[in-house]
């Protein structure tokens, strides 16, 4: 059997971790990925591991020994990368090989890279005749799903629920009308808009968002943002930040979805963002 070659342009969902959260440790992304792999194995998927054997031999010899006990496939594209296949019967061995020692030390994004990221070059699961999960571990933003069925999606969300600042989101931006700011684009971490004939882009990160109020009757969503002034620690700071706030375009404060389908998609993204990614956002529904 050849190793799968997923086209991630077909991805429908992605795993997002808020790396700025104080709750995110050195091993959080590994915990999230292993939870996903475990769930996929529970659903009968095959797991394909593309590895750099030299890196693993130098830094994770036991993991390499375990991985070599799986079925070895042809080398990927004639490269030095070896590919191994495991199935649900190998679940415990797979998770043991992919695990790292946890630490509670909060770290910035640029220090996440470790033997786990360099030695495990790609993880792909295959189920129901197609790839379902694909990850390039050294790129923490490259953790994709392809059309998970409802049972798998629910199971993945449940597996990620106890992991800090991490959630499953639909891929791509949602373009939605606002009450008075035109059309904006929204994804799992921010809102973008072009207030001046698309010449200048304004970006509003959800770390600046204070409250999301979802009105299920009118199918509108109200956003309450923290201001520069409210975050200042002194009276001078409040003056300076207040001036900056007036110079910047006001963020969108009311989203007006086109239809119920778009409303439900926005509701799903914003509720997951608020409850899972730990931006300190209050989420309420009417």
């Amino acid at each position: 059997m050849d190793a799968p070659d997923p086209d991630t342009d077909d991805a429908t969902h992605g795993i997002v971790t808020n790396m700025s959260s104080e709750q995110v440790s050195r091993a959080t992304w590994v915990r999230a990925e292993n939870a996903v792999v475990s769930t996929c194995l529970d659903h009968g998927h095959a797991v394909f591991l593309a590895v750099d054997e030299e890196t693993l031999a130098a830094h994770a010899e036991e993991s390499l020994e375990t991985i070599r006990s799986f079925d070895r496939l042809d080398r990927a594209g004639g490269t030095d990368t070896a590919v191994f296949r495991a199935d649900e019967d190998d679940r415990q061995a797979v998770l043991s090989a992919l695990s790292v020692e946890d630490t509670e030390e909060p770290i910035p994004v640029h220090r996440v890279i470790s033997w786990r990221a360099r030695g495990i070059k790609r993880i792909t699961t295959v189920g129901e005749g197609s790839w379902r999960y694909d990850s390039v571990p050294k790129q923490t933003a490259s953790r994709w799903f392809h059309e998970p069925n409802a049972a798998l999606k629910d199971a993945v969300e449940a597996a990620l629920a106890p992991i800090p600042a991490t959630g499953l989101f639909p891929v791509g931006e949602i373009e939605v009308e606002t009450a008075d700011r035109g059309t904006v684009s929204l994804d799992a971490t921010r809102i973008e808009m072009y207030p001046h004939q698309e010449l200048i882009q304004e970006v509003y990160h959800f770390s600046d968002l204070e409250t999301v109020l979802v009105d299920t009757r009118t199918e509108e969503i109200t956003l309450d943002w923290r201001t520069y002034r409210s975050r200042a620690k002194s009276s001078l700071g409040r003056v300076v930040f207040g001036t900056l706030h007036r110079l910047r375009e006001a963020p969108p404060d009311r989203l007006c979805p086109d239809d119920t389908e778009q409303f439900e998609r926005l509701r799903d993204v914003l509720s997951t963002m608020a409850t899972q990614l730990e931006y300190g956002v209050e989420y309420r529904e009417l």
Side-chain angles (χ1 to χ4, degrees):
M1 177 184 292
D2 293 333
D5 185 20
D7 183 356
T8 53
D9 287 342
D10 294 334
T12 57
H13 295 76
I15 298 175
V16 176
T17 297
N18 172 15
M19 300 301 296
S20 65
S21 170
E22 293 182 355
Q23 302 303 314
V24 171
S25 73
R26 182 184 299 274
T28 296
W29 69 271
V30 179
R31 286 181 56 201
E33 181 152 86
N34 289 359
V36 168
V37 171
S38 177
T39 303
C40 289
L41 285 167
D42 287 343
H43 282 71
H45 293 193
V47 174
F48 295 82
L49 305 175
V51 305
D52 181 336
E53 293 182 283
E54 183 176 341
T55 297
L56 293 182
H59 301 285
E61 191 172 357
E62 289 186 7
S63 290
L64 176 59
E65 182 178 347
T66 299
I67 290 170
R68 281 175 170 169
S69 71
F70 306 145
D71 293 336
R72 181 189 286 266
L73 307 182
D74 293 335
R75 292 185 179 273
T79 69
D80 293 334
T81 300
V83 181
F84 298 85
R85 180 188 186 277
D87 59 30
E88 55 188 319
D89 293 334
D90 303 309
R91 180 176 177 276
Q92 291 303 323
V94 170
L95 297 180
S96 175
L98 297 180
S99 295
V100 299
E101 184 178 355
D102 202 353
T103 173
E104 295 182 356
E105 175 194 1
I107 59 171
V109 174
H110 68 273
R111 289 182 54 201
V112 170
I113 304 302
S114 66
W115 72 263
R116 175 63 167 71
R118 301 192 310 271
I120 308 296
K121 301 186 74 171
R122 192 165 193 171
I123 301 173
T124 305
T125 77
V126 175
E128 300 175 339
S130 179
W131 76 272
R132 294 303 166 196
Y133 176 69
D134 185 70
S135 164
V136 178
K138 71 177 181 180
Q139 300 172 10
T140 55
S142 296
R143 298 179 290 175
W144 308 113
F145 270 96
H146 172 60
E147 297 182 348
N149 60 36
L152 178 59
K153 180 175 179 291
D154 289 347
V156 168
E157 290 175 336
L160 293 177
I163 296 173
T166 301
L168 180 69
F169 291 85
V171 166
E173 298 179 343
I174 305 173
E175 291 194 352
V176 58
E177 290 294 325
T178 65
D180 58 2
R181 310 297 297 156
T183 301
V184 299
S185 297
L186 177 151
D187 63 17
T189 62
R190 64 186 187 177
I191 287 178
E192 298 179 356
M193 70 180 194
Y194 293 85
H196 301 295
Q197 291 77 45
E198 300 190 359
L199 295 178
I200 301 175
Q201 180 190 45
E202 292 279 5
V203 178
Y204 303 94
H205 294 274
F206 288 143
S207 56
D208 295 327
L209 188 60
E210 191 164 44
T211 306
V212 176
L213 180 62
V214 176
D215 192 327
T216 57
R217 299 163 299 182
T218 64
E219 296 191 346
E220 292 187 345
I221 299 171
T222 301
L223 307 176
D224 185 18
W225 299 84
R226 300 180 182 93
T227 65
Y228 289 108
R229 184 181 178 87
S230 69
R231 288 177 291 176
K233 299 183 186 298
S234 67
S235 57
L236 177 60
R238 286 190 288 274
V239 171
V240 173
F241 284 133
T243 301
L244 290 174
H245 181 69
R246 287 191 295 273
L247 292 174
R248 192 184 188 202
E249 292 290 333
D253 58 8
R254 187 149 59 96
L255 306 181
C256 306
D258 293 335
D259 50 35
T260 297
E261 181 180 355
Q262 188 180 63
F263 169 74
E264 291 296 342
R265 190 179 179 199
L266 286 166
R267 182 185 187 183
D268 182 37
V269 169
L270 289 170
S271 64
T272 304
M273 176 276 298
T275 58
Q276 291 291 109
L277 294 193
E278 298 182 6
Y279 284 120
V281 178
E282 180 185 3
Y283 179 87
R284 292 186 286 128
E285 291 191 358
L286 297 177

